[in-house]
Amino acid sequence: MFWYGHDLSGWGWFTMSAGMILFWALIITFGVLLYRALARPGDIGTPPGPAHPRPTPEQLLAERFARGEIEEEEYERRLTTLRGRTEDGPRLTKS
């Protein structure tokens, strides 16, 4: 290939080297993008976020009562407070 004076000059080597680096960069980029597209969990349209919704304050209070961390009287008092009602029945409001 390099016989008879048909050798590659400095620019030829540079172009060939840059082309090879660009070629492999494109192949690797395509592979990474393909992997990310195929390995994505769930549908494309679903927004990322927690799989389970957060428990409500009432659910957390019920869990504490079920574990025995609080007594029934305290559970009822806190549940009433969470629901925003007093013992008389009217709703509590912020001023």
Side-chain angles (χ1 to χ4, degrees):
M1 190 160 150
F2 299 108
W3 298 286
Y4 308 114
H6 296 294
D7 61 27
L8 290 174
S9 65
W11 287 108
W13 282 106
F14 174 76
T15 305
M16 186 172 61
S17 299
M20 184 58 67
I21 291 170
L22 181 63
F23 171 77
W24 284 110
L26 288 173
I27 294 294
I28 291 170
T29 302
F30 177 74
V32 168
L33 291 176
L34 182 65
Y35 173 77
R36 290 181 68 190
L38 294 177
R40 181 177 297 169
D43 295 329
I44 294 174
T46 51
H52 302 287
R54 298 178 110 182
T56 64
E58 290 180 5
Q59 290 172 336
L60 291 174
L61 185 62
E63 289 175 10
R64 288 187 64 198
F65 178 63
R67 285 192 300 261
E69 294 177 9
I70 57 176
E71 299 293 324
E72 183 177 0
E73 184 178 300
E74 185 177 357
Y75 170 74
E76 293 293 335
R77 183 176 50 83
R78 289 182 182 213
L79 188 61
T80 303
T81 303
L82 280 175
R83 291 183 176 162
R85 299 186 188 277
T86 62
E87 288 141 14
D88 298 338
R91 243 175 132 54
L92 296 174
T93 58
K94 289 186 176 181
S95 299

